């Protein structure tokens, strides 16, 4: 994996930090601490938007990755019940994703899937307002499934 990252001419410091954070993730998994493991997974996932900036992928994919990263950040702090921060992350995800709603280059078949994702993002935000973890998790799973279909 490290060699692949070097091949796409990424910042060397980011690659080294990613490897260090991966080691930290393995340590958290070993301790079986769910909350810390999720936080560490989020740290690792936050490198993806940085890494894909330098890759030859379409803008739609970059927006989806950034959206997922913000949604995962919200999920990773769910156990702390910091609903204000969770809400901010979901709002950032929604703002990022909304760029796809106005993109005229999206084919019609993808447009309905994009619209579903946006509706699911708003539903996830509504679950934050109810402060119900179970509803949040159901809507989170549904959103990720739909995002993965894009």
């Amino acid at each position: 994996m490290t060699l692949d990252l070097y091949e796409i001419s990424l910042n060397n410091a980011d690659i080294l930090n990613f490897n260090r954070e991966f080691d930290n993730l393995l340590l958290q998994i070993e301790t079986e601490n769910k909350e810390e493991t999720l936080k560490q997974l989020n740290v690792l996932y936050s490198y993806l938007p940085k890494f894909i900036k330098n890759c030859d992928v379409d803008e739609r994919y970059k927006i989806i990755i950034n959206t997922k990263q913000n949604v995962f950040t919200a999920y990773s702090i769910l156990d702390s019940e910091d609903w204000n921060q969770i809400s901010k992350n979901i709002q950032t995800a929604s703002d990022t994703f909304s760029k796809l709603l106005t993109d005229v280059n999206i084919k019609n078949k993808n447009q309905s899937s994009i619209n579903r994702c946006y509706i699911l993002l708003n539903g996830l935000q509504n679950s934050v307002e109810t402060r119900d973890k179970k509803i949040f998790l159901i809507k989170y799973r549904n959103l990720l499934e739909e995002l993965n279909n894009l």
Side-chain angles (χ1 to χ4, degrees):
M1 180 173 61
T2 302
L3 291 175
D4 291 337
L5 293 173
Y6 279 118
E7 279 183 24
I8 56 175
S9 302
L10 296 175
N11 180 323
N12 290 345
D14 282 342
I15 295 170
L16 293 173
N17 289 335
F18 179 82
N19 286 328
R20 186 176 317 113
E21 297 299 345
F22 186 76
D23 291 343
N24 290 338
L25 172 63
L26 295 176
L27 290 172
Q28 291 305 323
I29 291 171
E30 188 177 340
T31 65
E32 298 182 11
N33 182 329
K34 177 186 172 189
E35 194 169 337
E36 291 302 316
T37 299
L38 285 173
K39 286 180 184 177
Q40 195 57 46
L41 272 170
N42 185 52
V43 169
L44 276 179
Y45 203 97
S46 71
Y47 279 90
L48 287 179
K50 291 178 191 178
F51 291 165
I52 65 167
K53 269 187 202 174
N54 296 340
C55 295
D56 186 26
V57 296
D58 67 359
E59 190 62 28
R60 180 180 64 95
Y61 183 72
K62 291 177 183 180
I63 290 170
I64 292 168
I65 291 295
N66 280 300
T67 301
K68 284 181 176 181
Q69 197 277 319
N70 284 297
V71 170
F72 186 71
T73 299
Y75 170 74
S76 73
I77 59 174
L78 186 61
D79 285 341
S80 71
E81 296 190 28
D82 185 352
W83 295 105
N84 290 331
Q85 192 59 43
I86 293 169
S87 179
K88 287 178 186 175
N89 286 300
I90 298 301
Q91 185 59 51
T92 301
S94 184
D95 292 345
T96 300
F97 191 80
S98 68
K99 296 173 189 171
L100 291 180
L101 294 171
T102 58
D103 189 339
V104 295
N105 296 322
I106 303 292
K107 293 185 170 94
N108 286 337
K109 72 175 189 169
N110 286 339
Q111 193 61 50
S112 67
S113 207
I114 289 169
N115 291 341
R116 274 194 302 278
C117 285
Y118 191 70
I119 290 167
L120 289 168
L121 261 170
N122 287 322
L124 189 60
Q125 182 67 30
N126 291 339
S127 73
V128 171
E129 293 170 13
T130 64
R131 297 176 185 235
D132 187 311
K133 286 184 187 180
K134 289 179 183 177
I135 293 172
F136 180 93
L137 290 172
I138 291 167
K139 293 186 179 218
Y140 170 81
R141 188 194 74 214
N142 292 339
L143 173 61
L144 286 186
E145 286 175 2
E146 194 65 40
L147 284 169
N148 288 334
N149 290 331
L150 284 178

